[in-house]
Each structure stands twice: as structure tokens, then as C-alpha cells.
Amino acid sequence: MTTIGVIGGTGGQGFGIALRFAQVGENVIIGSRTIDKALAAVEKAKELLGDIPNIQAATNPEAAKAADVLVLTVPLAAQRDILLSIKEGAAGKPLLDATGPLESCIGGSATRYIDLPEGSAAERSQSILPDAKVICAFNTISQSWWLQLDEPIDCDCLISGNDEDAKAFVTPLIEKIPGIKVVDCGKLERARIIEKITPLLIGLNIKNKCQFGGIRITGLDKGRA
Ligand SMILES: NC(=O)c1ccc[n+]([C@@H]2O[C@H](COP(=O)([O-])OP(=O)(O)OC[C@H]3O[C@@H](n4cnc5c(N)ncnc54)[C@H](OP(=O)(O)O)[C@@H]3O)[C@@H](O)[C@H]2O)c1
């Protein structure tokens, strides 16, 4: 069993990811800036999933230390401070980064992307925590899907990262969640493309008055020798 620490696991995206990993039997730690908020999220998780033992609460730094794999689900504006707070625990571990560089982080529209000097939010995470194995992940799956607990998730999970072993380790872990197929898009700099899909999907959701816009990559097996 893998222990997954969700940093910012009290928000919509992190809480949904935590529920899904707990549902498939992984050990999950919901991280927060405050232990009370993490405990309240665990209570809520147990209301939804039953009184299961494999979901716990911790502050973000403690969650990072105790986990084998980290998931980062905090707003861009909080990314640097939160990452610095988990620096010790994150060293040497895969860190699945969902951070979206959306204009809403600076008071604009969630359907617009903002360019970052590092190239992408995931590359920014890697520059803040050079010892972590940062993998861009989960940007193309909305919280609505994670929270639809009785349904498989009809989305691919596009990932990118520089550490091939870390990607090979997290791929079957993510694919334990029903419905998800992981698509390895290459080196971390591919996050510059993956992260742009989030505001596109938000715009499509608004246009179609729905919450489940997602993406599937097709044809990768067709005609394979
Ligand atoms: N929601 C989605 O559908 C979705 C989809 C794709 C990508 N993402 C990305 O995933 C990340 C999390 O999204 P979200 O919707 O879950 O965000 P959120 O609910 O606004 O925030 C998640 C958590 O971040 C923590 N946090 C730390 N510093 C904060 C600060 N300065 N201001 C506000 N919260 C702070 C809070 O936890 P504590 O107060 O407990 O510390 C909060 O519960 C974002 O970067 C987003 O772009 C989200």
C-alpha cells in the first residue's frame, strides 16, 4: 500500500483526489495549513466513504514527511509558500502537481492562462523544490469528476516529468482509480501544454453549462507494431 499525502487536501480538487485514492485502498493523508481543517476534511471523508481506517489528517509538512507520494493541490498564489513548508518531507519523492496557472489567481478569468517565467506551474514547483521529483498531473480532470464517487472517471490523466522511474511508479497507482488512463506526455516542460488544457476545459464547461468537460487521447495503440 502506498501512502499518498495530499498537500492542500481540504480544497475541491485535493479532497476529491484524496477520496478516490482512499476508495481504492491506498493510505491517504489529507494535508492542510491547520490540523483542525484537515481533521474536519477527514470527518467529511468518513461520512462519504464509511468509517475506513486508511484516511488520516495532518499539517502539510507532517503529511509530506509521512507520505511516499505527494499531490499538490493549492492555488498558484500559495504554491511557493506551501512548497517551502514541505521542503524537507518532499525531498526525493514523486510530487504530483495539479497547480493551474489561471488568470483568476490574479483577479482575472479562470478561462485564461497566465505565462510564468519558469514556463509552467510544474516547472516552477521543480525550481522551488529541486530535490522533489515533480510530475505535472491531474490538471485535466475537474473536481466534479473526482467527487462523483460512484462513477468511473471518463478522462485521461496527462502527465509529464523528468524522472522516468517516478512516472513509472505513479502510473499504475493513478490507474487504480476506475476509468482513468494515464498518458505520459514526456519531459516536465510538456506541462506548458498540459496546463493550458485546464482553462480550455473551464471555458467549455461554462459554454455547455456543465462541470464534467474532460479529455481523452485516442489512437496511441492503433497500428502499433
Ligand atoms: N478544482 C478543479 O477542478 C481543478 C482542476 C484542475 C486543476 N486544479 C488546480 O488544483 C489546485 C487546487 O484547486 P482547488 O480548486 O482545490 O483550490 P482551492 O479549493 O481554492 O484551494 C485548495 C486548498 O489550498 C489551500 N491553500 C493554501 N494556501 C492558500 C491560499 N493562500 N489561499 C487559499 N487556499 C490556500 C487551502 O487549504 P488549507 O486552508 O486547508 O490549507 C485550500 O483548501 C489549483 O492550483 C487549481 O488550479 C483544480
Side-chain angles (χ1 to χ4, degrees), residues 7-15 17 30-34 37-38 60 72-79 81-82 97-102 104-105 121 137-146 198 202 211:
I7 308 304
T10 59
Q13 186 76 339
F15 186 62
I17 292 170
I30 294 186
S32 169
R33 288 170 293 178
T34 60
K37 209 170 159 187
N60 288 323
L72 181 71
T73 50
V74 299
L76 180 70
Q79 181 192 24
D81 285 352
I82 297 291
D97 187 356
T99 312
L102 308 180
S104 50
C105 300
F138 304 137
N139 301 72
T140 55
I141 305 175
S142 76
Q143 69 178 61
S144 305
W145 268 117
W146 298 112
T198 313
I202 293 170
Q211 299 172 339

